[in-house]
């Protein structure tokens, strides 16, 4: 019983967005896609969506900020838990189902991953960041993994801004007394492209390497991410 929200300005990520959603084991789920660039063709996305269950596609003028798009998606959500899923990262099959179980505890208002994998496409290298921050309450989680009760987003909506949206949201939620819980490192990986400038977060591979630890793998990195415990 969870609504996933993806906001995108990149047409080339279509296959990844739908693949991440299709792979989710969660029994009751929906995907809300918000196109946030005027040149994107919503007809193509709606056509692609016909092959999937419970997918809605909307388009907002590119003058709308990321925060405004996320608030729009939360209002459209059918279920009482909403998950922000980025268009270019990897979400394993157990990602949403693990999140749903966490919210069985009334103490938890927001969940996400403070411990997570990072895959560097250019060097075919896998790292783990924040290994000690699993299954515990924290001050923040990775923006691409924010999962919250719908009522929390309605009470503390994302601010109308383009940068720092996730950090600002989590900070204001903490100030209002909402608790943030970090789930496992399992089933999620940030994908870092070789071109750092193509990312909103401009941190380099060298800098991330200092902050994380190497994770060996053979073949497809996704198998390691999905099978980690």
């Amino acid at each position: 019983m969870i609504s996933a929200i993806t906001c995108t300005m990149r047409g080339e990520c279509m296959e990844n967005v739908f693949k991440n959603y299709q792979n989710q084991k969660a029994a009751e789920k929906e995907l809300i896609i918000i196109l946030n660039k005027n040149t994107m063709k919503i007809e193509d996305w709606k056509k692609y969506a016909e092959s999937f269950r419970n997918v809605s596609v909307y388009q907002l003028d590119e003058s709308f900020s990321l925060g405004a798009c996320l608030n729009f998606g939360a209002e459209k959500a059918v279920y009482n838990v909403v998950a922000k899923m980025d268009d270019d990262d990897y979400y394993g099959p157990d990602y949403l189902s693990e999140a749903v179980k966490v919210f069985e505890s009334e103490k938890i208002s927001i969940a996400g991953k403070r411990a997570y994998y990072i895959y560097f496409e250019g060097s075919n290298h896998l790292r783990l960041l924040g290994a000690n921050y699993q299954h515990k309450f924290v001050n923040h989680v990775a923006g691409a993994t924010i999962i919250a009760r719908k009522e929390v987003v309605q009470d503390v909506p994302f601010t109308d801004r383009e940068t720092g949206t996730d950090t600002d949201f989590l900070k204001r939620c903490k100030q209002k007394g909402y608790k943030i819980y970090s789930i496992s490192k399992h089933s999620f990986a940030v994908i870092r492209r070789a071109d750092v400038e193509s990312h909103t977060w401009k941190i380099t591979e060298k800098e991330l390497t200092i902050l994380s630890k190497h994770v060996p793998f053979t073949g497809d990195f996704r198998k390691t991410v999905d099978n980690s415990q």
Side-chain angles (χ1 to χ4, degrees), residues 128-142:
L128 177 62
L129 182 69
N132 295 327
Y133 293 95
Q134 300 181 70
H135 309 295
K136 61 174 62 176
F137 288 100
V138 294
N139 289 324
H140 66 90
V141 292

Side-chain angles (χ1 to χ4, degrees), residues 66-88:
L66 173 60
C69 290
L70 290 171
N71 292 333
F72 175 87
E75 286 300 319
K76 295 294 183 181
V78 171
Y79 299 115
N80 60 2
V81 175
V82 295
K84 177 177 177 286
M85 293 177 69
D86 282 6
D87 60 8
D88 55 354

Side-chain angles (χ1 to χ4, degrees), residues 214-226:
H214 173 67
V215 179
F217 72 94
T218 56
D220 190 344
F221 78 93
R222 297 172 183 82
K223 293 181 179 178
T224 297
V225 172
D226 291 342

Side-chain angles (χ1 to χ4, degrees), residues 51-63:
S51 300
F52 304 84
R53 294 182 59 228
N54 301 331
V55 177
S56 303
V57 184
Y58 303 92
Q59 187 162 23
L60 297 181
D61 190 89
E62 59 191 43
S63 63

Side-chain angles (χ1 to χ4, degrees), residues 179-190:
K179 292 187 175 182
I180 304 170
Y181 187 81
S182 177
I183 52 183
S184 75
K185 63 185 179 181
H186 182 64
S187 290
F188 171 75
V190 168

Side-chain angles (χ1 to χ4, degrees), residues 138-199:
V138 294
N139 289 324
H140 66 90
V141 292
T145 70
I146 291 176
I147 307 158
R149 297 185 190 276
K150 182 176 178 177
E151 62 193 44
V152 173
V153 181
Q154 292 173 326
D155 184 37
V156 189
F158 289 90
T159 48
D160 190 11
R161 57 193 292 174
E162 282 300 332
T163 59
T165 307
D166 303 328
T167 302
D168 176 72
F169 171 73
L170 294 172
K171 179 181 178 180
R172 289 184 296 110
C173 285
K174 283 285 291 183
Q175 290 173 342
K176 293 209 68 171
Y178 291 119
K179 292 187 175 182
I180 304 170
Y181 187 81
S182 177
I183 52 183
S184 75
K185 63 185 179 181
H186 182 64
S187 290
F188 171 75
V190 168
I191 307 299
R192 296 292 292 184
R193 297 178 291 276
D195 180 12
V196 175
E197 293 303 314
S198 68
H199 291 281

